[in-house]
Amino acid sequence: MGSAVERTDEHVREYLIYRGFTSTLKHLDNEIKADKEKGFRVDKIIDQLQQFVQSFDLFGLKEYWLYLDRRLFCRLEDVYRSTVNKLRTSLFRYYVINTVQVRPRPPKTQEFFQKQASELQTQAEWRDWFILPFVPAPEQNPTFAPYFSRQWADTFLVSLHNFLSVLFQCVHILQVQKMTSLTEENEQFRQMVRNPFFSLTQQNPRKVEVEEVEPTPPETSADPPDSASCGGGAGAGGGGLSAEQPFIKLSQEEYGEHHSSIMHCRVDCSGRRVASLDVDGVIKVWSFNPIMQTKATIMSKSPLLSLEWAAKPDRLLLLGSGVGTVRLYDTEAKKNLYEMNIDDTHPRILSLACSPSGSSFVCSAAALSRSGGSESGPRLPIPVSGQLLLWDTKTVKQQLQFSLEPEPVAVNCTAFNHNGNLLVTGAADGVIRLFDMQRYESAMSWRAHDGEVYSVEFSYDENTVFSVGEDGKFIQWNIHRCGVKQSEQDLPQDATGPFVLSGYSGYKQVQVPRGRLFAFDSEGQHVLTCSSSGGLIYRLTNGEPALERVLSLGGHKAPVVTVDWCSAVDCGTCLTASMDGKIKLSTLLAQKS
């Protein structure tokens, strides 16, 4: 809804400028700056609350929350009043914890309890908190320790963000319904003016009751230490799913800082940062919790083809180029730590995979494609040569080169299992190779696809491997019995590529798969895939068909070319990136059966 309000404001500004109403325009700008609802932008409201907390402005915090309560929360049904009260309690606790964490401790902590004593002393959830100002080290006290954790603060802010998001979505639906009814009434009035007998012909004129429509977001757990839930909102923003289905879509936000097609989009191990790479070689490092914010922008003179987050420490990013180099980039210090020259004869770094131990990474280097190195058009059927190398991240030296039988071939995708003892690769010759990383040798290999292997991943129990290939098949392989399929499913072309974006005058942009084409949820029971209009979530079955569609995330106007799925507690975050440079971040709530 926030984007619609912003567009409306811009139209009003353009009209005032066109008419020359400069004085009115100044008044409008001043009113917008003072707007407490922040144009229904949830991130702006969260920012305002955090500013009050960080500046220890208790009066401003109380007044702002009271305004939101009078303007929005009071319109909800009584069943949601407890949710609002929990959010308010958590907000005040967030304020108190912030006052305690400042050294030397300011008198704001005692001031809070003095001013709020008459209100809070009758509330059971605050009974133990009045001793907080007198506890020497409250962060070590069992009662208060959970509230000092980053996890509690993040969970509270996500809960509040999700609650407001769903609330504003419901308000938006209410406004649409009102506009629809007004349009219908206006049309009826026009008919009556044109034809005085119109009202007589309408035996049962349609009457739309909109005053009874109330925004009804579902209850959100707002007190993180007492509940593991991350957010609320199964109603209007939930994609119309029934209670029997596994996920509810709480919200969907857009990251639009890229100006060309996305190649890779990956969440780091902690689930706090995202790195996205476009075809122009621009990398954006950004966070989405509690608000979407760009942390770093990396520009490269040479083309970039691959990226991977390091496991330890998770702030480091590996960047593979098209000129035979791999860079190790510190996203917090915003600088390159090392640049490694891999191989001049195989300059295209197609895939990077960091070992979970963090001590090494695998690098796939390939020769120039036979079509002259173009990364945008379809590949020729003759696979190019390549190398698979193991590098030590501490010594920044190559440890060994893996043997690729029957011939050296370009490896498109790589993935480690949870402890780094196994490595699976998919190559341009259609062969999947499984490597024993304790012996550094191939354990088995088999012909998996007709054409290239585009993407491979271990299953949740790591007894099988899933792959997607150029033949459009999604196959599950048993790693204990070489080349034995456990299941197979045909996927549509918009899930496997090559991806095509059509333009004016017959123009077509074609992109071969480079990033991850599928990703699993935290329990390995559902898989997220690409499609022409957004991500698709399937349930993995043990029968036929192997995939059962359960949810379409939607939201894209161009083909989605890579996906990722980050799961934390009950909230899952799905990333879908498309050829128009847009990245959609969909927050899901898992429904436990």
Side-chain angles (χ1 to χ4, degrees):
M1 185 174 180
S3 59
V5 172
E6 286 183 353
R7 288 195 298 270
T8 304
D9 290 344
E10 286 302 318
H11 291 321
V12 174
R13 281 195 183 95
E14 291 175 2
Y15 173 76
L16 294 177
I17 293 172
Y18 173 74
R19 294 297 305 275
F21 297 155
T22 56
S23 178
T24 307
L25 180 61
K26 290 180 180 178
H27 284 295
L28 175 65
D29 289 335
N30 291 334
E31 291 287 344
I32 290 176
K33 288 180 181 178
D35 178 24
K36 290 186 176 182
E37 294 171 2
K38 306 298 180 184
F40 296 100
R41 286 280 302 276
V42 176
D43 55 340
K44 298 293 184 183
I45 294 176
I46 299 293
D47 281 345
Q48 182 64 72
L49 291 171
Q50 287 189 292
Q51 287 178 16
F52 287 133
V53 170
Q54 292 167 4
S55 61
F56 308 118
D57 186 355
L58 179 60
F59 177 78
L61 184 67
K62 291 172 59 179
E63 286 297 309
Y64 193 60
W65 185 264
L66 185 61
Y67 173 83
L68 294 176
D69 191 40
R70 288 197 305 262
R71 187 76 172 87
L72 300 170
F73 304 149
C74 67
R75 301 171 184 265
L76 298 175
E77 295 178 0
D78 292 339
V79 68
Y80 303 113
R81 176 49 54 179
S82 62
T83 301
V84 175
N85 291 338
K86 286 182 179 180
L87 286 169
R88 184 175 182 272
T89 299
S90 293
L91 178 64
F92 283 154
R93 287 178 176 176
Y94 184 60
Y95 173 87
V96 172
I97 294 301
N98 192 67
T99 64
V100 173
Q101 288 179 322
V102 177
R103 295 290 185 270
R105 188 185 302 181
K108 295 292 183 179
T109 309
Q110 294 187 24
E111 178 185 303
F112 171 84
F113 287 103
Q114 289 171 359
K115 291 184 176 181
Q116 299 293 108
S118 59
E119 178 184 348
L120 301 182
Q121 62 186 0
T122 59
Q123 300 179 18
E125 57 267 26
W126 284 99
R127 191 170 299 151
D128 297 334
W129 282 72
F130 281 89
I131 66 170
L132 180 65
F134 310 102
V135 177
E139 64 274 8
Q140 300 177 5
N141 187 290
T143 302
F144 307 112
Y147 299 92
F148 285 87
S149 67
R150 175 64 183 272
Q151 181 182 2
W152 182 87
D154 288 348
T155 306
F156 160 64
L157 292 173
V158 170
S159 299
L160 180 58
H161 185 281
N162 289 340
F163 183 83
L164 292 173
S165 296
V166 176
L167 175 60
F168 288 154
Q169 288 175 5
C170 294
V171 172
H172 175 63
I173 291 172
L174 176 62
Q175 298 298 325
V176 170
Q177 290 175 336
K178 286 184 177 180
M179 290 298 295
T180 303
S181 65
L182 289 173
T183 302
E184 293 173 351
E185 289 178 6
N186 288 339
E187 183 60 30
Q188 288 186 2
F189 285 137
R190 289 193 189 97
Q191 294 291 341
M192 292 175 65
V193 170
R194 295 170 186 167
N195 180 10
F197 300 103
F198 173 78
S199 59
L200 298 177
T201 63
Q202 303 296 309
Q203 298 297 327
N204 295 303
R206 183 181 175 207
K207 186 176 180 180
V208 181
E209 297 288 346
V210 292
E211 295 301 324
E212 297 180 1
V213 179
E214 292 287 344
T216 55
E219 187 168 3
T220 303
S221 173
D223 201 354
D226 301 326
S227 174
S229 176
C230 278
L241 290 180
S242 63
E244 291 78 14
Q245 292 187 317
F247 300 104
I248 298 172
K249 187 171 73 172
L250 298 178
S251 63
Q252 188 176 76
E253 299 176 88
E254 179 181 291
Y255 184 78
E257 295 297 316
H258 288 279
H259 303 291
S260 59
S261 180
I262 308 297
M263 293 176 64
H264 295 272
C265 186
R266 297 295 302 273
V267 186
D268 70 356
C269 300
S270 65
R272 294 184 293 117
R273 288 179 294 260
V274 178
S276 48
L277 165 65
D278 62 34
V279 296
D280 290 337
V282 177
I283 291 180
K284 298 284 185 178
V285 178
W286 47 284
S287 62
F288 54 86
N289 183 9
I291 61 174
M292 200 171 283
Q293 184 179 18
T294 301
K295 299 294 186 181
T297 299
I298 309 168
M299 309 289 289
S300 176
K301 295 180 180 178
S302 57
L304 295 176
L305 303 180
S306 55
L307 67 79
E308 172 74 347
W309 284 102
K312 298 176 183 178
D314 61 6
R315 71 175 187 274
L316 301 182
L317 194 63
L318 290 167
L319 307 174
S321 75
V323 293
T325 61
V326 172
R327 277 190 283 166
L328 189 63
Y329 183 84
D330 190 323
T331 59
E332 291 184 1
K334 298 181 181 179
K335 64 178 183 180
N336 291 320
L337 301 182
Y338 304 108
E339 185 169 39
M340 295 154 269
N341 292 312
I342 305 299
D343 187 356
D344 292 337
T345 60
H346 297 84
R348 296 187 303 141
I349 310 302
L350 299 183
S351 179
L352 295 165
C354 190
S355 171
S357 66
S359 60
S360 60
F361 70 90
V362 166
C363 166
S364 165
L368 292 175
S369 60
R370 301 179 191 277
S371 58
S374 172
E375 293 296 328
S376 59
R379 300 186 184 103
L380 294 178
I382 305 175
V384 299
S385 67
Q387 296 179 338
L388 187 64
L389 310 171
L390 182 68
W391 278 69
D392 190 301
T393 53
K394 295 179 180 178
T395 62
V396 198
K397 293 182 179 179
Q398 180 181 321
Q399 288 183 267
L400 60 93
Q401 177 177 340
F402 292 94
S403 174
L404 298 175
E405 299 293 341
E407 60 181 352
V409 66
V411 173
N412 294 326
C413 46
T414 53
F416 280 99
N417 71 334
H418 80 284
N419 58 13
N421 288 338
L422 294 175
L423 171 74
V424 64
T425 68
D429 59 359
V431 174
I432 290 179
R433 296 170 174 86
L434 189 68
F435 291 91
D436 183 343
M437 295 304 291
Q438 293 179 320
R439 299 180 179 180
Y440 300 114
E441 62 183 26
S442 175
M444 63 178 68
S445 63
W446 63 92
R447 179 81 176 183
H449 292 273
D450 294 330
E452 304 195 27
V453 182
Y454 285 154
S455 198
V456 290
E457 297 289 341
F458 280 97
S459 63
Y460 178 73
D461 60 10
E462 299 185 351
N463 287 317
T464 61
V465 167
F466 288 89
S467 65
V468 168
E470 190 177 6
D471 54 7
K473 296 183 182 298
F474 179 78
I475 305 178
Q476 183 180 15
W477 304 93
N478 190 324
I479 65 172
H480 303 293
R481 301 173 61 190
C482 182
V484 174
K485 297 179 184 178
Q486 288 201 186
S487 65
E488 179 178 335
Q489 178 81 30
D490 288 325
L491 293 177
Q493 184 177 349
D494 59 3
T496 61
F499 304 103
V500 180
L501 180 62
S502 300
Y504 296 106
S505 303
Y507 168 78
K508 287 187 178 181
Q509 178 184 347
V510 181
Q511 181 175 327
V512 295
R514 282 294 173 220
R516 177 180 288 188
L517 295 184
F518 63 94
F520 296 109
D521 68 341
S522 61
E523 298 178 352
Q525 297 179 358
H526 299 86
V527 61
L528 171 66
T529 69
C530 303
S531 80
S532 59
S533 59
L536 290 178
I537 295 178
Y538 297 89
R539 180 187 289 110
L540 295 172
T541 69
N542 294 324
E544 293 293 337
L547 298 177
E548 177 187 348
R549 178 170 166 174
V550 296
L551 179 62
S552 173
L553 300 180
H556 285 275
K557 297 180 180 179
V560 170
V561 295
T562 184
V563 299
D564 203 1
W565 194 334
C566 171
S567 299
V569 199
D570 284 340
C571 288
T573 302
C574 292
L575 291 171
T576 53
S578 61
M579 292 185 71
D580 59 2
K582 306 300 182 184
I583 301 173
K584 298 289 185 178
L585 188 145
S586 303
T587 302
L588 305 182
L589 180 66
Q591 297 199 99
K592 303 297 183 181
S593 56

